mmCIF file with all atom_site columns, all heavy atoms in Angstrom:
data_model
loop_
_atom_site.group_PDB
_atom_site.id
_atom_site.type_symbol
_atom_site.label_atom_id
_atom_site.label_alt_id
_atom_site.label_comp_id
_atom_site.label_asym_id
_atom_site.label_entity_id
_atom_site.label_seq_id
_atom_site.pdbx_PDB_ins_code
_atom_site.Cartn_x
_atom_site.Cartn_y
_atom_site.Cartn_z
_atom_site.occupancy
_atom_site.B_iso_or_equiv
_atom_site.pdbx_formal_charge
_atom_site.auth_seq_id
_atom_site.auth_comp_id
_atom_site.auth_asym_id
_atom_site.auth_atom_id
_atom_site.pdbx_PDB_model_num
ATOM 1   N N   . PRO A 1 164 ? 13.067 5.666   39.448 1.00 97.00 ? 164 PRO A N   1
ATOM 2   C CA  . PRO A 1 164 ? 13.128 4.477   38.601 1.00 97.00 ? 164 PRO A CA  1
ATOM 3   C C   . PRO A 1 164 ? 14.119 3.448   39.139 1.00 97.00 ? 164 PRO A C   1
ATOM 4   O O   . PRO A 1 164 ? 15.236 3.782   39.532 1.00 97.00 ? 164 PRO A O   1
ATOM 5   C CB  . PRO A 1 164 ? 13.591 5.031   37.248 1.00 97.00 ? 164 PRO A CB  1
ATOM 6   C CG  . PRO A 1 164 ? 13.151 6.457   37.261 1.00 97.00 ? 164 PRO A CG  1
ATOM 7   C CD  . PRO A 1 164 ? 13.291 6.908   38.681 1.00 97.00 ? 164 PRO A CD  1
ATOM 8   N N   . ALA A 1 165 ? 13.699 2.194   39.156 1.00 98.00 ? 165 ALA A N   1
ATOM 9   C CA  . ALA A 1 165 ? 14.532 1.104   39.655 1.00 98.00 ? 165 ALA A CA  1
ATOM 10  C C   . ALA A 1 165 ? 14.315 -0.118  38.784 1.00 98.00 ? 165 ALA A C   1
ATOM 11  O O   . ALA A 1 165 ? 13.263 -0.288  38.155 1.00 98.00 ? 165 ALA A O   1
ATOM 12  C CB  . ALA A 1 165 ? 14.202 0.784   41.112 1.00 98.00 ? 165 ALA A CB  1
ATOM 13  N N   . VAL A 1 166 ? 15.337 -0.978  38.750 1.00 98.00 ? 166 VAL A N   1
ATOM 14  C CA  . VAL A 1 166 ? 15.275 -2.234  38.001 1.00 98.00 ? 166 VAL A CA  1
ATOM 15  C C   . VAL A 1 166 ? 15.380 -3.396  38.991 1.00 98.00 ? 166 VAL A C   1
ATOM 16  O O   . VAL A 1 166 ? 16.224 -3.380  39.897 1.00 98.00 ? 166 VAL A O   1
ATOM 17  C CB  . VAL A 1 166 ? 16.397 -2.332  36.954 1.00 98.00 ? 166 VAL A CB  1
ATOM 18  C CG1 . VAL A 1 166 ? 16.342 -3.679  36.237 1.00 98.00 ? 166 VAL A CG1 1
ATOM 19  C CG2 . VAL A 1 166 ? 16.287 -1.184  35.951 1.00 98.00 ? 166 VAL A CG2 1
ATOM 20  N N   . TYR A 1 167 ? 14.526 -4.389  38.822 1.00 98.00 ? 167 TYR A N   1
ATOM 21  C CA  . TYR A 1 167 ? 14.473 -5.549  39.691 1.00 98.00 ? 167 TYR A CA  1
ATOM 22  C C   . TYR A 1 167 ? 14.647 -6.823  38.863 1.00 98.00 ? 167 TYR A C   1
ATOM 23  O O   . TYR A 1 167 ? 14.368 -6.839  37.658 1.00 98.00 ? 167 TYR A O   1
ATOM 24  C CB  . TYR A 1 167 ? 13.127 -5.629  40.415 1.00 98.00 ? 167 TYR A CB  1
ATOM 25  C CG  . TYR A 1 167 ? 12.813 -4.443  41.294 1.00 98.00 ? 167 TYR A CG  1
ATOM 26  C CD1 . TYR A 1 167 ? 12.321 -3.256  40.735 1.00 98.00 ? 167 TYR A CD1 1
ATOM 27  C CD2 . TYR A 1 167 ? 12.997 -4.491  42.668 1.00 98.00 ? 167 TYR A CD2 1
ATOM 28  C CE1 . TYR A 1 167 ? 12.027 -2.156  41.530 1.00 98.00 ? 167 TYR A CE1 1
ATOM 29  C CE2 . TYR A 1 167 ? 12.700 -3.398  43.476 1.00 98.00 ? 167 TYR A CE2 1
ATOM 30  C CZ  . TYR A 1 167 ? 12.219 -2.239  42.904 1.00 98.00 ? 167 TYR A CZ  1
ATOM 31  O OH  . TYR A 1 167 ? 11.938 -1.150  43.697 1.00 98.00 ? 167 TYR A OH  1
ATOM 32  N N   . SER A 1 168 ? 15.073 -7.870  39.513 1.00 98.00 ? 168 SER A N   1
ATOM 33  C CA  . SER A 1 168 ? 15.004 -9.199  38.903 1.00 98.00 ? 168 SER A CA  1
ATOM 34  C C   . SER A 1 168 ? 13.848 -9.956  39.549 1.00 98.00 ? 168 SER A C   1
ATOM 35  O O   . SER A 1 168 ? 13.555 -9.767  40.737 1.00 98.00 ? 168 SER A O   1
ATOM 36  C CB  . SER A 1 168 ? 16.310 -9.973  39.109 1.00 98.00 ? 168 SER A CB  1
ATOM 37  O OG  . SER A 1 168 ? 16.530 -10.246 40.484 1.00 98.00 ? 168 SER A OG  1
ATOM 38  N N   . TYR A 1 169 ? 13.200 -10.788 38.751 1.00 98.00 ? 169 TYR A N   1
ATOM 39  C CA  . TYR A 1 169 ? 12.066 -11.569 39.246 1.00 98.00 ? 169 TYR A CA  1
ATOM 40  C C   . TYR A 1 169 ? 12.348 -13.047 38.996 1.00 98.00 ? 169 TYR A C   1
ATOM 41  O O   . TYR A 1 169 ? 12.707 -13.439 37.886 1.00 98.00 ? 169 TYR A O   1
ATOM 42  C CB  . TYR A 1 169 ? 10.774 -11.163 38.550 1.00 98.00 ? 169 TYR A CB  1
ATOM 43  C CG  . TYR A 1 169 ? 9.583  -11.987 38.972 1.00 98.00 ? 169 TYR A CG  1
ATOM 44  C CD1 . TYR A 1 169 ? 9.025  -11.836 40.240 1.00 98.00 ? 169 TYR A CD1 1
ATOM 45  C CD2 . TYR A 1 169 ? 9.025  -12.926 38.113 1.00 98.00 ? 169 TYR A CD2 1
ATOM 46  C CE1 . TYR A 1 169 ? 7.938  -12.601 40.641 1.00 98.00 ? 169 TYR A CE1 1
ATOM 47  C CE2 . TYR A 1 169 ? 7.937  -13.693 38.494 1.00 98.00 ? 169 TYR A CE2 1
ATOM 48  C CZ  . TYR A 1 169 ? 7.394  -13.530 39.761 1.00 98.00 ? 169 TYR A CZ  1
ATOM 49  O OH  . TYR A 1 169 ? 6.337  -14.293 40.158 1.00 98.00 ? 169 TYR A OH  1
ATOM 50  N N   . ASP A 1 170 ? 12.210 -13.849 40.021 1.00 97.00 ? 170 ASP A N   1
ATOM 51  C CA  . ASP A 1 170 ? 12.437 -15.293 39.940 1.00 97.00 ? 170 ASP A CA  1
ATOM 52  C C   . ASP A 1 170 ? 11.093 -15.979 39.729 1.00 97.00 ? 170 ASP A C   1
ATOM 53  O O   . ASP A 1 170 ? 10.223 -15.939 40.613 1.00 97.00 ? 170 ASP A O   1
ATOM 54  C CB  . ASP A 1 170 ? 13.104 -15.795 41.227 1.00 97.00 ? 170 ASP A CB  1
ATOM 55  C CG  . ASP A 1 170 ? 13.602 -17.225 41.120 1.00 97.00 ? 170 ASP A CG  1
ATOM 56  O OD1 . ASP A 1 170 ? 12.842 -18.075 40.613 1.00 97.00 ? 170 ASP A OD1 1
ATOM 57  O OD2 . ASP A 1 170 ? 14.738 -17.498 41.558 1.00 97.00 ? 170 ASP A OD2 1
ATOM 58  N N   . VAL A 1 171 ? 10.905 -16.599 38.565 1.00 95.00 ? 171 VAL A N   1
ATOM 59  C CA  . VAL A 1 171 ? 9.609  -17.214 38.263 1.00 95.00 ? 171 VAL A CA  1
ATOM 60  C C   . VAL A 1 171 ? 9.337  -18.444 39.125 1.00 95.00 ? 171 VAL A C   1
ATOM 61  O O   . VAL A 1 171 ? 8.189  -18.860 39.274 1.00 95.00 ? 171 VAL A O   1
ATOM 62  C CB  . VAL A 1 171 ? 9.509  -17.598 36.764 1.00 95.00 ? 171 VAL A CB  1
ATOM 63  C CG1 . VAL A 1 171 ? 9.525  -16.366 35.889 1.00 95.00 ? 171 VAL A CG1 1
ATOM 64  C CG2 . VAL A 1 171 ? 10.620 -18.557 36.373 1.00 95.00 ? 171 VAL A CG2 1
ATOM 65  N N   . LYS A 1 172 ? 10.385 -19.022 39.710 1.00 94.00 ? 172 LYS A N   1
ATOM 66  C CA  . LYS A 1 172 ? 10.194 -20.209 40.559 1.00 94.00 ? 172 LYS A CA  1
ATOM 67  C C   . LYS A 1 172 ? 9.796  -19.825 41.983 1.00 94.00 ? 172 LYS A C   1
ATOM 68  O O   . LYS A 1 172 ? 8.908  -20.440 42.577 1.00 94.00 ? 172 LYS A O   1
ATOM 69  C CB  . LYS A 1 172 ? 11.462 -21.055 40.562 1.00 94.00 ? 172 LYS A CB  1
ATOM 70  C CG  . LYS A 1 172 ? 11.797 -21.663 39.207 1.00 94.00 ? 172 LYS A CG  1
ATOM 71  C CD  . LYS A 1 172 ? 13.069 -22.514 39.285 1.00 94.00 ? 172 LYS A CD  1
ATOM 72  C CE  . LYS A 1 172 ? 13.384 -23.137 37.934 1.00 94.00 ? 172 LYS A CE  1
ATOM 73  N NZ  . LYS A 1 172 ? 14.638 -23.935 37.965 1.00 94.00 ? 172 LYS A NZ  1
ATOM 74  N N   . THR A 1 173 ? 10.457 -18.817 42.553 1.00 95.00 ? 173 THR A N   1
ATOM 75  C CA  . THR A 1 173 ? 10.203 -18.440 43.943 1.00 95.00 ? 173 THR A CA  1
ATOM 76  C C   . THR A 1 173 ? 9.288  -17.224 44.074 1.00 95.00 ? 173 THR A C   1
ATOM 77  O O   . THR A 1 173 ? 8.869  -16.887 45.185 1.00 95.00 ? 173 THR A O   1
ATOM 78  C CB  . THR A 1 173 ? 11.523 -18.135 44.670 1.00 95.00 ? 173 THR A CB  1
ATOM 79  O OG1 . THR A 1 173 ? 12.119 -16.965 44.081 1.00 95.00 ? 173 THR A OG1 1
ATOM 80  C CG2 . THR A 1 173 ? 12.484 -19.301 44.549 1.00 95.00 ? 173 THR A CG2 1
ATOM 81  N N   . ALA A 1 174 ? 9.018  -16.546 42.966 1.00 95.00 ? 174 ALA A N   1
ATOM 82  C CA  . ALA A 1 174 ? 8.201  -15.325 42.958 1.00 95.00 ? 174 ALA A CA  1
ATOM 83  C C   . ALA A 1 174 ? 8.856  -14.186 43.731 1.00 95.00 ? 174 ALA A C   1
ATOM 84  O O   . ALA A 1 174 ? 8.182  -13.252 44.176 1.00 95.00 ? 174 ALA A O   1
ATOM 85  C CB  . ALA A 1 174 ? 6.797  -15.592 43.496 1.00 95.00 ? 174 ALA A CB  1
ATOM 86  N N   . ALA A 1 175 ? 10.185 -14.230 43.883 1.00 96.00 ? 175 ALA A N   1
ATOM 87  C CA  . ALA A 1 175 ? 10.901 -13.191 44.617 1.00 96.00 ? 175 ALA A CA  1
ATOM 88  C C   . ALA A 1 175 ? 11.276 -12.043 43.684 1.00 96.00 ? 175 ALA A C   1
ATOM 89  O O   . ALA A 1 175 ? 11.748 -12.269 42.572 1.00 96.00 ? 175 ALA A O   1
ATOM 90  C CB  . ALA A 1 175 ? 12.151 -13.770 45.263 1.00 96.00 ? 175 ALA A CB  1
ATOM 91  N N   . LEU A 1 176 ? 11.077 -10.818 44.165 1.00 97.00 ? 176 LEU A N   1
ATOM 92  C CA  . LEU A 1 176 ? 11.450 -9.614  43.436 1.00 97.00 ? 176 LEU A CA  1
ATOM 93  C C   . LEU A 1 176 ? 12.630 -8.977  44.157 1.00 97.00 ? 176 LEU A C   1
ATOM 94  O O   . LEU A 1 176 ? 12.531 -8.628  45.335 1.00 97.00 ? 176 LEU A O   1
ATOM 95  C CB  . LEU A 1 176 ? 10.269 -8.644  43.383 1.00 97.00 ? 176 LEU A CB  1
ATOM 96  C CG  . LEU A 1 176 ? 10.371 -7.446  42.432 1.00 97.00 ? 176 LEU A CG  1
ATOM 97  C CD1 . LEU A 1 176 ? 10.314 -7.916  40.983 1.00 97.00 ? 176 LEU A CD1 1
ATOM 98  C CD2 . LEU A 1 176 ? 9.255  -6.450  42.710 1.00 97.00 ? 176 LEU A CD2 1
ATOM 99  N N   . THR A 1 177 ? 13.763 -8.829  43.466 1.00 98.00 ? 177 THR A N   1
ATOM 100 C CA  . THR A 1 177 ? 14.998 -8.347  44.087 1.00 98.00 ? 177 THR A CA  1
ATOM 101 C C   . THR A 1 177 ? 15.479 -7.096  43.370 1.00 98.00 ? 177 THR A C   1
ATOM 102 O O   . THR A 1 177 ? 15.660 -7.099  42.153 1.00 98.00 ? 177 THR A O   1
ATOM 103 C CB  . THR A 1 177 ? 16.095 -9.422  44.019 1.00 98.00 ? 177 THR A CB  1
ATOM 104 O OG1 . THR A 1 177 ? 15.610 -10.627 44.620 1.00 98.00 ? 177 THR A OG1 1
ATOM 105 C CG2 . THR A 1 177 ? 17.355 -8.959  44.737 1.00 98.00 ? 177 THR A CG2 1
ATOM 106 N N   . GLU A 1 178 ? 15.688 -6.008  44.127 1.00 98.00 ? 178 GLU A N   1
ATOM 107 C CA  . GLU A 1 178 ? 16.160 -4.766  43.514 1.00 98.00 ? 178 GLU A CA  1
ATOM 108 C C   . GLU A 1 178 ? 17.607 -4.906  43.073 1.00 98.00 ? 178 GLU A C   1
ATOM 109 O O   . GLU A 1 178 ? 18.468 -5.342  43.838 1.00 98.00 ? 178 GLU A O   1
ATOM 110 C CB  . GLU A 1 178 ? 16.029 -3.596  44.496 1.00 98.00 ? 178 GLU A CB  1
ATOM 111 C CG  . GLU A 1 178 ? 16.407 -2.262  43.873 1.00 98.00 ? 178 GLU A CG  1
ATOM 112 C CD  . GLU A 1 178 ? 16.161 -1.079  44.788 1.00 98.00 ? 178 GLU A CD  1
ATOM 113 O OE1 . GLU A 1 178 ? 15.062 -1.017  45.402 1.00 98.00 ? 178 GLU A OE1 1
ATOM 114 O OE2 . GLU A 1 178 ? 17.058 -0.222  44.892 1.00 98.00 ? 178 GLU A OE2 1
ATOM 115 N N   . LEU A 1 179 ? 17.883 -4.507  41.819 1.00 98.00 ? 179 LEU A N   1
ATOM 116 C CA  . LEU A 1 179 ? 19.229 -4.555  41.262 1.00 98.00 ? 179 LEU A CA  1
ATOM 117 C C   . LEU A 1 179 ? 19.885 -3.179  41.215 1.00 98.00 ? 179 LEU A C   1
ATOM 118 O O   . LEU A 1 179 ? 21.059 -3.029  41.529 1.00 98.00 ? 179 LEU A O   1
ATOM 119 C CB  . LEU A 1 179 ? 19.197 -5.133  39.839 1.00 98.00 ? 179 LEU A CB  1
ATOM 120 C CG  . LEU A 1 179 ? 18.665 -6.560  39.692 1.00 98.00 ? 179 LEU A CG  1
ATOM 121 C CD1 . LEU A 1 179 ? 18.631 -6.944  38.213 1.00 98.00 ? 179 LEU A CD1 1
ATOM 122 C CD2 . LEU A 1 179 ? 19.513 -7.555  40.477 1.00 98.00 ? 179 LEU A CD2 1
ATOM 123 N N   . ARG A 1 180 ? 19.115 -2.179  40.827 1.00 97.00 ? 180 ARG A N   1
ATOM 124 C CA  . ARG A 1 180 ? 19.685 -0.849  40.670 1.00 97.00 ? 180 ARG A CA  1
ATOM 125 C C   . ARG A 1 180 ? 18.598 0.201   40.789 1.00 97.00 ? 180 ARG A C   1
ATOM 126 O O   . ARG A 1 180 ? 17.510 0.047   40.249 1.00 97.00 ? 180 ARG A O   1
ATOM 127 C CB  . ARG A 1 180 ? 20.378 -0.713  39.302 1.00 97.00 ? 180 ARG A CB  1
ATOM 128 C CG  . ARG A 1 180 ? 21.065 0.634   39.073 1.00 97.00 ? 180 ARG A CG  1
ATOM 129 C CD  . ARG A 1 180 ? 21.696 0.704   37.693 1.00 97.00 ? 180 ARG A CD  1
ATOM 130 N NE  . ARG A 1 180 ? 22.416 1.950   37.472 1.00 97.00 ? 180 ARG A NE  1
ATOM 131 C CZ  . ARG A 1 180 ? 21.852 3.077   37.041 1.00 97.00 ? 180 ARG A CZ  1
ATOM 132 N NH1 . ARG A 1 180 ? 20.551 3.111   36.787 1.00 97.00 ? 180 ARG A NH1 1
ATOM 133 N NH2 . ARG A 1 180 ? 22.582 4.177   36.868 1.00 97.00 ? 180 ARG A NH2 1
#
Side-chain angles (χ1 to χ4, degrees):
V166 177
Y167 300 80
S168 65
Y169 177 72
D170 191 314
V171 294
K172 295 181 179 178
T173 66
L176 192 69
T177 305
E178 184 175 314
L179 299 177
R180 183 181 183 274

